Amino acid sequence: MKFETKAPTDIDYEKEGTMIGLEFHQQVLAPYGDDDLNEKHGGKLFCACPAYLRDDEAHFTLKRRFRAMAGETGDVDITAQFEKMKQGTTIYEAFHDTTCLVELDEEPISPINENAMFRALAMAKKLFKLELVDEILVSRKTIIDGSNTSGFQRTALIAYEGKNSYIDVNGKKIGIYQANLEEDSAKNMGKEGAIKKYRLDRLGIPLIEIATKPDMRTPEEGLATAMRIGELLRTTGFVRRGQGTIRQDLNVSIKKGTRIEIKGVSDLDLVQLYIRNECIRQIRMLEFLKILETRKITSTMIKKMKGKDVSKLFKNCDAKFIKSALKKKHKVIGTIVPEFKGLIGYELQPDYRVGTEFSEIAKVTAGAGGILHSDELPKFGITQEEVDSVRAQLKAGENDGFVLIIGPKEVGMRTVEGLKMAISLWLESDGLIPEVRSPRADGTTGYLRPLPGKARMYPETDAKPISISKYINKIEKLEFEMPEDRIKRYISKMKLSEELAIQLSVHPQNTFFEELVAKNKVDANIVANTLMSTVINLRRANIPVDRITNKDYHQIFSAIGKGVISKDSIDKLLTAIANSDKKTSVNKLIKSLGLEMMNEEDVRETISKVVDENASFLERGMGAMGPLMGKCMKVLSGKADGKLISKLLKEEIQSRLK
Amino acid sequence: MAKKKSKKTSTSLYGNYNDMLKSRFESLKIQPGDHIVIKYGEKNIDGNLMAQTEMGDPSSIVVKLDNGYNIGIKVDETVHIIKKAGSVDLEKFQIRVPKQKKGLPGITLLGTGGTIASRIDYKTGGVVMAMEPEEIFASLPELFEEVSFDDVKSLFTLASEDLASPQWKVMAKHSADAINDGTRGVVLLHGTDTMGYSSAALSFMLPDVPVPVVFTGAQRSSDRGSFDGAFNLISAARIAANADIASVMVCMHGSSNDDYCNISRGTKVRKMHTTRRDAFLTINDTPMMNIDYQGIMNELNNDLPRRKKGNVDPKLEYDEKVALIKIYPGIAPDLMDYYIDKGYHGLIIEGTGLGHVPSFPPKEDNRDFLHAVKRAVDEGIFVGMTSQCLNGRVHPYVYRSTRITYQSGVIYLEDMLPETALIKLGWTLANYEDKSVAKIMSSNLAGEISSRSYYQEYMRNEI
């Protein structure tokens, strides 16, 4: 069978029968307790820890090992079994003050975060017109990749599809069929050798998951829907914002293909590319399976693959990476892939070959760094001679391909087992296998694991069923302002610029912004600028602005509203608060920094002094205004309004010129 | 007396549903697991019926949807329920016992219940003790690469708070029989809450035991990937099969990591945390050894009883007329009178500090506990003194009050744990003549009293 090695870069989505659905995950902002960190960052779903994401060094680490356990139906979950092959040890990074025994899987959960539950229910009902369940039942979803210390994720279905459960995306109805409230997983911190590392600051943050029906037909529709859902959620002020607070799973299928889940896409810019490349991959994979069939490759042949230590053949190899590997006592493990010659370079996605897929399989099944394969060699400093000797040693037939894994011997051997399992699954199933794929930075997707079956959900024993009846009235009364309406109000009533209004309309702090303006009788623009630019600039300058509490903000704007300090002092004051011991009150800081504004008489006196000291400028007549204003501002900045200084200086100069 | 029926694992078939729903299900012949459709108002829910839990709303129908989620739908009598084909079997558990390999050391596994032998009851959503020891094997295939099982038996399926001397006797008897039949070691699966009591009981009931008898359990449930019982059980089995140590012991996580287990003397171990994996600490001693994930054993104690040939002659009698009294400020002396009047044979006091009871309180307070203690001793009741500090030793000479207490005939039990002292007393009273009770209680039989206190034995808060 003839085939094109290169994958196409575009396809006819309609002709292929493309269907796209989204599972949109957004962190919910919901304090569990009333401490400052909880107030500011929100809390977790099942313990009183703050949802505080940290960049500093962990206070301590724990090491755990996971096992596949028999599930509800008595079978060990296929996904869990697959993960078990990895035999991974996991290291968890934790903090003495912002993580507790619940995240460490050392204590049963506390009662559910009621704020989070209320907010999630309200969003499900009001934004997406879903039907709320009457009783929320928390389940455990088996996940033993290490991202949850317990080996499962707690999740609850809170709302299901009703008659009007859809959103309007550019005039098209996109159906919404379910909302879940669940725990976020621990943050992946990479690997230390073969050991996976996770950080527990993120584990347990409440997530609302909004699942759409597969109503999107093109990558453009996929992106537009994701953006609209995000916008709607953010307009409520009930969600957290910033990098990593949103993740979505994309479910993509073509008519002849199958449902593939692309897990954890956080970069909206790449959504279209992932959808496109997945459609291409399904088309290409189907063609590839046909090629395998014409070559009469069977799973029995594949299951005979065996890893062999061929390190000796590379004793004198010039390739640096091989030299350094052998020095570390790593091995070169080789296996033939029967009848695969010329197929490993076949592209499944643009610039993503079967060999790349092998690499991804090696990575997830064995923690291998990567592989080399027959279709790309000789290259990278490996000679034709070495290739020939590998073929001879592996007893490769003329049409056999081969794969080399460089690393610890067991990693190599496990990789061979992983490849055997994956390729024989391709051959044994009729068509494509439903699987979970991970988004790669270049817009392609890599193999992650088979799509888990039903066995992985069972009841959370440490939580009681929660009747939602007491929230119903409050939810009914709640009106969310749509982003469009909020922008209008910000422009017309609060006199914000259009740009600021658009930014703030979907900002999670917009309710806080309005509260600051209303309570402290202060110009909305001052508050908006502070939240949207001053704070962000300070953060960029490495000022620990997260230490500033909501109470601090109220005190600052109250001081401005009362005319105690000038708005020009805000960044100085914020910096001081962020760097303070947090025991000194804001008002004391204002005094000790000398930020209190002067009364008009004192300002006039100061200006008079400045003019005295710089009398020579007066020779320029009113032309002295410029240089003298500079001198005055130096002394008075932050202590008096610029306009007032200018007015009084003008009067002073005029009186002296008389 | 008639024998008690064994406890049911599920409260009832339907759990906590109200009568309307129960009778509706019954008349439609719908059982949990059956595929149903609920029509209620505009709602149309398709899924499998689940039982309602004790804490759930009796008027909400719990349904497992096709995607695995459970939801509750509140209904009244206008609900329309339809039975459909396709029920799921909610309680199907496969018991997989891998083939035993020849030539491996043979050990005996005895189940008593507890978290390690518990699993989720999918009908009620609660945790029940219904697991046969074999069920654990499904997740521990590697065990069969290292040991073979001479016998696997479930003695009871009881929570640890429901175990007492009748069960200790059964555990000890079965252990002794297995040992005398030549097993290399015994592993007991046990609830963690009272594991320390049972390990103390067997320490005395199996005097001079020639092989390891190892208690183990779990602090996390067996359904989860982070189940700590798997590593605990593997380690216990390795100790039973291979350790050169002959004692009744407890084998549980030594840290919050899955990196090693501590092996503690059965008489010197205590559950010191409600939930952590490393809840078990050796008190007033160092652990006998630890064992890491690969099974490498590291002896921590110079004074280990070694594995030997020979049988064990169990001493199973136990006198239940013993009690443990914890002293607290303001304790009423008539608590003591209660035990005396009820005919108790022995009492262990968990005194304050070095072993105090209120001895010279202001007269008008009527709190002279020592007076009541004297009465007990005068009536021939053995009274032993331990400390509620747990760590450290009691001492009768330092203060006037302890001297007087001691002189009134209370026996100060050195660094023995209060619970261990209680169990030793019940056992001693049943197996020895009255005149030797004081002597036996003061002698070290199974590591319960150590002659020296070492610096490293006390765990402090170190941050």
Side-chain angles (χ1 to χ4, degrees):
Chain A
M1 182 175 153
K2 271 195 176 171
F3 58 85
E4 175 65 58
T5 304
K6 281 250 169 235
T9 52
D10 209 0
I11 55 163
D12 185 337
Y13 294 99
E14 199 181 330
K15 201 183 100 198
E16 297 294 343
T18 306
M19 285 167 83
I20 304 148
L22 293 180
E23 286 161 31
F24 195 98
H25 301 83
Q26 164 84 58
Q27 290 180 350
V28 179
L29 179 75
Y32 193 104
D34 56 5
D35 54 288
D36 287 341
L37 281 174
N38 252 287
E39 291 278 352
K40 193 175 162 71
H41 301 281
K44 297 208 168 169
L45 190 54
F46 288 111
C47 70
C49 287
Y52 182 42
L53 301 178
R54 317 178 52 148
D55 300 322
D56 52 339
E57 208 160 305
H59 296 160
F60 64 103
T61 60
L62 286 181
K63 200 187 265 187
R64 295 276 170 75
R65 293 179 169 86
F66 288 92
R67 299 186 153 266
M69 306 309 298
E72 183 170 357
T73 53
D75 304 316
V76 176
D77 179 11
I78 174 173
T79 318
Q81 210 156 27
F82 174 77
E83 292 291 339
K84 199 185 162 198
M85 277 188 64
K86 296 195 241 168
Q87 286 290 342
T89 304
T90 310
I91 289 179
Y92 294 103
E93 298 185 343
F95 299 89
H96 290 304
D97 51 348
T98 57
T99 57
C100 72
L101 289 189
V102 172
E103 289 104 330
L104 297 171
D105 188 45
E106 286 286 30
E107 189 173 76
I109 48 175
S110 303
I112 196 164
N113 179 337
E114 296 211 18
N115 284 323
M117 196 167 51
F118 168 72
R119 292 183 160 201
L121 287 166
M123 289 188 278
K125 173 94 183 161
K126 290 290 187 168
L127 299 175
F128 304 105
K129 312 281 181 289
L130 290 162
E131 290 283 335
L132 302 183
V133 301
D134 298 304
E135 208 174 38
I136 293 180
L137 299 156
V138 181
S139 287
R140 296 173 172 177
K141 189 191 267 189
T142 302
I143 297 176
I144 57 164
D145 62 0
S147 62
N148 292 71
T149 45
S150 53
F152 53 73
Q153 176 193 34
R154 297 182 184 93
T155 175
L157 195 162
I158 57 167
Y160 54 92
E161 190 184 0
K163 254 191 192 163
N164 297 311
S165 310
Y166 64 86
I167 55 169
D168 186 304
V169 180
N170 300 333
K172 180 172 173 175
K173 280 186 185 178
I174 302 290
I176 307 290
Y177 83 90
Q178 191 171 311
N180 301 328
L181 177 60
E182 56 193 31
E183 298 177 305
D184 205 343
S185 54
K187 190 163 49 192
N188 190 339
M189 301 296 280
K191 276 186 177 174
E192 221 178 77
I195 299 174
K196 287 183 282 189
K197 270 170 90 173
Y198 288 93
R199 183 168 272 230
L200 298 181
D201 54 353
R202 199 181 75 186
L203 179 65
I205 294 180
L207 287 178
I208 182 169
E209 177 186 342
I210 303 295
T212 75
K213 295 170 98 173
D215 288 348
M216 291 143 265
R217 297 286 173 266
T218 63
E220 293 74 25
E221 285 182 14
L223 175 64
T225 305
M227 289 181 64
R228 182 61 183 170
I229 294 175
E231 205 171 80
L232 287 171
L233 291 170
R234 285 198 301 274
T235 191
T236 60
F238 284 0
V239 296
R240 281 165 50 87
R241 201 165 113 145
Q243 191 131 45
T245 56
I246 297 172
R247 281 194 307 284
Q248 51 208 319
D249 302 340
L250 308 171
N251 289 304
V252 180
S253 68
I254 59 167
K255 200 167 177 198
K256 287 183 187 152
T258 188
R259 182 168 86 93
I260 295 293
E261 181 177 321
I262 304 168
K263 191 141 197 78
V265 177
S266 55
D267 191 347
L268 275 182
D269 295 340
L270 290 176
V271 165
Q272 296 193 69
L273 215 47
Y274 289 133
I275 295 171
R276 182 198 80 169
N277 287 339
E278 179 51 31
C279 292
I280 293 171
R281 195 192 67 86
Q282 295 195 20
I283 296 167
R284 292 287 284 174
M285 192 69 201
L286 285 166
E287 187 187 64
F288 189 68
L289 291 178
K290 264 190 208 143
I291 300 168
L292 297 186
E293 208 180 301
T294 54
R295 287 210 183 182
K296 301 202 164 57
I297 302 171
T298 64
S299 69
T300 328
M301 288 158 68
I302 295 296
K303 280 179 182 156
K304 283 185 189 143
M305 280 164 58
K306 235 187 192 153
K308 212 172 199 178
D309 186 347
V310 295
S311 309
K312 273 189 195 156
L313 307 177
F314 293 91
K315 253 195 322 210
N316 302 316
C317 182
D318 282 335
K320 261 192 196 155
F321 65 101
I322 294 206
K323 269 188 182 167
S324 74
L326 293 179
K327 221 184 205 172
K328 279 189 281 184
K329 302 258 185 252
H330 284 180
K331 302 285 179 202
V332 182
I333 302 296
T335 175
I336 59 161
V337 190
E339 301 294 318
F340 258 65
K341 192 176 180 184
L343 293 184
I344 310 181
Y346 181 92
E347 276 191 0
L348 295 171
Q349 303 171 67
D351 212 22
Y352 183 103
R353 288 155 294 279
V354 170
T356 325
E357 184 82 349
F358 285 177
S359 272
E360 294 286 327
I361 293 167
K363 200 160 86 188
V364 295
T365 54
I371 61 146
L372 296 170
H373 61 79
S374 44
D375 287 1
E376 62 184 350
L377 296 176
K379 209 181 169 183
F380 316 118
I382 294 170
T383 62
Q384 183 64 50
E385 264 186 333
E386 281 153 349
V387 170
D388 292 341
S389 61
V390 168
R391 294 198 82 94
Q393 175 96 36
L394 295 175
K395 297 195 179 99
E398 201 189 328
N399 288 322
D400 292 341
F402 69 81
V403 165
L404 299 177
I405 308 107
I406 297 145
K409 187 172 179 186
E410 33 168 317
V411 169
M413 291 302 187
R414 278 216 300 275
T415 300
V416 177
E417 290 309 306
L419 288 175
K420 259 161 77 171
M421 190 175 86
I423 302 171
S424 51
L425 268 175
W426 294 349
L427 294 164
E428 282 164 10
S429 67
D430 189 21
L432 300 185
I433 307 150
E435 61 191 32
V436 181
R437 301 187 63 82
S438 68
R440 289 160 42 107
D442 65 354
T444 58
T445 61
Y447 178 79
L448 196 58
R449 55 174 180 250
L451 198 68
K454 239 164 107 177
R456 65 183 212 170
M457 301 267 289
Y458 61 96
E460 166 58 74
T461 54
D462 306 339
K464 66 175 183 116
I466 306 144
S467 164
I468 67 150
S469 53
K470 69 170 173 176
Y471 301 105
I472 294 290
N473 277 333
K474 216 170 134 196
I475 290 169
E476 287 302 337
K477 275 187 215 143
L478 201 65
E479 280 306 328
F480 289 125
E481 197 174 27
M482 288 295 106
E484 302 76 31
D485 302 330
R486 188 174 294 229
I487 292 168
K488 275 185 209 149
R489 181 167 60 88
Y490 282 177
I491 294 172
S492 65
K493 294 234 170 89
M494 300 187 113
K495 310 284 180 221
L496 294 186
S497 70
E498 190 178 348
E499 193 196 338
L500 258 183
I502 291 172
Q503 255 188 311
L504 256 177
S505 69
V506 290
H507 198 280
Q509 279 192 300
N510 57 21
T511 43
F512 182 54
F513 154 75
E514 294 187 31
E515 185 188 310
L516 285 173
V517 174
K519 260 207 176 148
N520 302 302
K521 306 210 170 57
V522 59
D523 182 353
N525 274 292
I526 296 176
V527 180
N529 274 317
T530 302
L531 295 180
M532 305 303 296
S533 98
T534 313
V535 174
I536 289 159
N537 289 338
L538 290 176
R539 177 176 286 128
R540 283 194 192 128
N542 289 325
I543 308 290
V545 288
D546 283 339
R547 300 185 71 225
I548 305 166
T549 64
N550 289 0
K551 209 172 129 199
D552 295 334
Y553 281 111
H554 271 291
Q555 286 178 352
I556 293 171
F557 290 112
S558 156
I560 292 171
K562 287 179 188 149
V564 177
I565 61 169
S566 149
K567 70 171 171 19
D568 301 328
S569 306
I570 291 177
D571 60 345
K572 241 189 227 165
L573 188 51
L574 286 172
T575 308
I577 296 170
N579 289 322
S580 79
D581 55 5
K582 300 298 297 177
K583 283 170 196 151
T584 322
S585 75
V586 173
N587 289 332
K588 268 195 190 145
L589 278 174
I590 290 173
K591 283 201 186 101
S592 66
L593 292 169
L595 297 178
E596 281 170 304
M597 288 216 274
M598 288 180 176
N599 61 32
E600 199 172 315
E601 268 323 292
D602 291 346
V603 176
R604 196 184 291 279
E605 207 171 291
T606 307
I607 289 175
S608 172
K609 259 189 218 157
V610 171
V611 176
D612 282 349
E613 283 159 17
N614 300 281
S616 56
F617 283 120
L618 291 173
E619 289 164 14
R620 305 186 196 176
M622 278 320 280
M625 190 68 196
L628 282 176
M629 185 68 192
K631 301 266 179 199
C632 288
M633 283 306 288
K634 237 185 193 169
V635 187
L636 289 167
S637 158
K639 295 180 184 171
D641 191 46
K643 271 187 203 154
L644 178 72
I645 297 170
S646 161
K647 182 185 142 223
L648 296 182
L649 177 61
K650 203 169 162 191
E651 286 171 19
E652 182 70 26
I653 295 172
Q654 278 168 345
S655 78
R656 301 226 182 182
L657 288 177
K658 266 178 198 166
Chain B
M1 208 175 81
K3 267 196 175 175
K4 266 191 190 169
K5 268 191 184 170
S6 66
K7 274 192 180 172
K8 274 190 197 167
T9 56
S10 305
T11 45
S12 86
L13 187 56
Y14 297 111
N16 193 28
Y17 283 121
N18 64 22
D19 291 343
M20 185 275 287
L21 283 173
K22 266 186 206 163
S23 68
R24 196 71 78 83
F25 293 142
E26 267 162 19
S27 68
L28 289 165
K29 296 202 167 64
I30 295 171
Q31 295 197 350
D34 284 348
H35 181 190
I36 56 168
V37 171
I38 304 167
K39 291 189 171 171
Y40 181 64
E42 286 185 354
K43 292 174 182 173
N44 195 344
I45 310 284
D46 188 314
N48 294 85
L49 180 71
M50 303 290 282
Q52 181 58 287
T53 65
E54 304 94 313
M55 296 173 95
D57 177 355
S59 60
S60 283
I61 302 182
V62 179
V63 175
K64 183 176 249 339
L65 302 180
D66 191 42
N67 58 18
Y69 280 95
N70 293 353
I71 61 171
I73 303 296
K74 198 175 174 68
V75 297
D76 56 25
E77 49 286 344
T78 64
V79 66
H80 197 56
I81 305 170
I82 305 151
K83 186 176 176 176
K84 291 229 168 172
S87 69
V88 291
D89 194 349
L90 294 172
E91 290 260 337
K92 194 189 81 190
F93 275 84
Q94 62 191 86
I95 296 184
R96 244 188 316 199
V97 185
K99 268 209 176 136
Q100 303 231 22
K101 290 196 178 160
K102 278 182 191 159
L104 295 173
I107 61 168
T108 299
L109 184 70
L110 303 175
T112 71
T115 301
I116 193 165
S118 297
R119 59 169 160 71
I120 290 189
D121 177 0
Y122 292 107
K123 286 181 182 158
T124 64
V127 177
V128 292
M129 272 156 230
M131 203 145 142
E132 293 298 314
E134 285 92 338
E135 284 183 52
I136 305 169
F137 294 158
S139 50
L140 279 173
E142 65 263 49
L143 202 54
F144 289 81
E145 299 292 323
E146 296 186 33
V147 299
S148 66
F149 289 91
D150 296 331
D151 197 4
V152 176
K153 221 179 250 148
S154 173
L155 301 180
F156 354 90
T157 47
L158 291 171
S160 65
E161 67 271 18
D162 295 332
L163 298 167
S165 64
Q167 288 76 34
W168 300 333
K169 289 177 191 173
V170 175
M171 291 180 218
K173 177 78 173 57
H174 276 90
S175 302
D177 288 349
I179 292 165
N180 295 341
D181 283 346
T183 200
R184 287 275 298 166
V186 179
V187 173
L188 289 128
L189 305 180
H190 197 289
T192 55
D193 287 356
T194 66
M195 191 186 283
Y197 293 83
S198 293
S199 68
L202 265 67
S203 295
F204 299 114
M205 287 177 171
L206 301 174
D208 208 13
V209 65
V211 299
V213 174
V214 195
F215 281 86
T216 194
Q219 288 281 79
R220 295 285 87 73
S221 55
S222 65
D223 59 279
R224 55 181 100 196
S226 63
F227 178 48
D228 60 324
F231 177 37
N232 291 342
L233 174 53
I234 287 182
S235 301
R238 285 168 168 165
I239 295 288
N242 303 320
D244 183 16
I245 196 165
S247 173
V248 176
M249 296 166 277
V250 164
C251 171
M252 292 288 287
H253 269 58
S255 81
S256 187
N257 302 294
D258 292 319
D259 51 0
Y260 68 94
C261 281
N262 274 342
I263 312 302
S264 302
R265 213 137 187 170
T267 49
K268 283 280 194 205
V269 64
R270 201 170 190 282
K271 185 174 183 179
M272 297 298 282
H273 197 279
T274 55
T275 57
R276 282 177 59 147
R277 288 164 171 71
D278 52 357
F280 282 82
L281 295 184
T282 299
I283 309 276
N284 296 329
D285 203 350
T286 43
M288 300 180 106
M289 58 165 55
N290 62 31
I291 174 169
D292 74 7
Y293 201 76
Q294 264 111 35
I296 295 167
M297 297 173 200
N298 176 24
E299 293 187 356
L300 300 170
N301 206 308
N302 295 326
D303 189 22
L304 296 177
R306 296 298 177 184
R307 193 188 269 277
K308 58 193 169 200
K309 290 221 166 79
N311 287 356
V312 60
D313 182 14
K315 280 183 154 65
L316 301 177
E317 294 314 307
Y318 191 85
D319 184 345
E320 288 192 331
K321 283 285 195 191
V322 290
L324 179 59
I325 299 166
K326 185 174 189 133
I327 298 298
Y328 49 86
I331 185 169
D334 47 11
L335 281 178
M336 201 73 184
D337 294 331
Y338 169 85
Y339 289 112
I340 300 167
D341 298 342
K342 283 280 175 186
Y344 272 67
H345 303 146
L347 298 169
I348 298 295
I349 294 176
E350 199 179 299
T352 59
L354 286 166
H356 301 260
V357 301
S359 309
F360 306 107
K363 272 238 160 60
E364 63 276 18
D365 287 0
N366 291 323
R367 299 278 185 209
D368 183 357
F369 201 83
L370 180 59
H371 186 76
V373 171
K374 276 184 188 153
R375 188 192 150 206
V377 175
D378 290 347
E379 301 219 1
I381 297 170
F382 177 90
V383 182
M385 180 63 74
T386 60
S387 173
Q388 55 192 252
C389 296
L390 306 175
N391 285 285
R393 198 176 288 275
V394 290
H395 202 296
Y397 306 142
V398 181
Y399 292 96
R400 182 172 154 224
S401 69
T402 50
R403 277 181 231 147
I404 301 247
T405 308
Y406 176 68
Q407 271 164 358
S408 67
V410 173
I411 306 297
Y412 276 64
L413 296 173
E414 303 282 338
D415 64 343
M416 211 191 306
L417 282 168
E419 298 87 358
T420 298
L422 172 77
I423 282 165
K424 185 178 180 186
L425 182 55
W427 175 83
T428 304
L429 287 168
N431 289 289
Y432 293 87
E433 289 174 8
D434 284 359
K435 61 176 187 199
S436 33
V437 168
K439 192 174 154 243
I440 295 290
M441 286 302 290
S442 306
S443 322
N444 176 34
L445 303 185
E448 74 277 19
I449 295 173
S450 28
S451 51
R452 297 159 77 191
S453 308
Y454 292 98
Y455 179 74
Q456 71 274 16
E457 290 168 359
Y458 175 51
M459 309 295 283
R460 288 160 298 152
N461 288 333
E462 282 172 270
I463 294 182

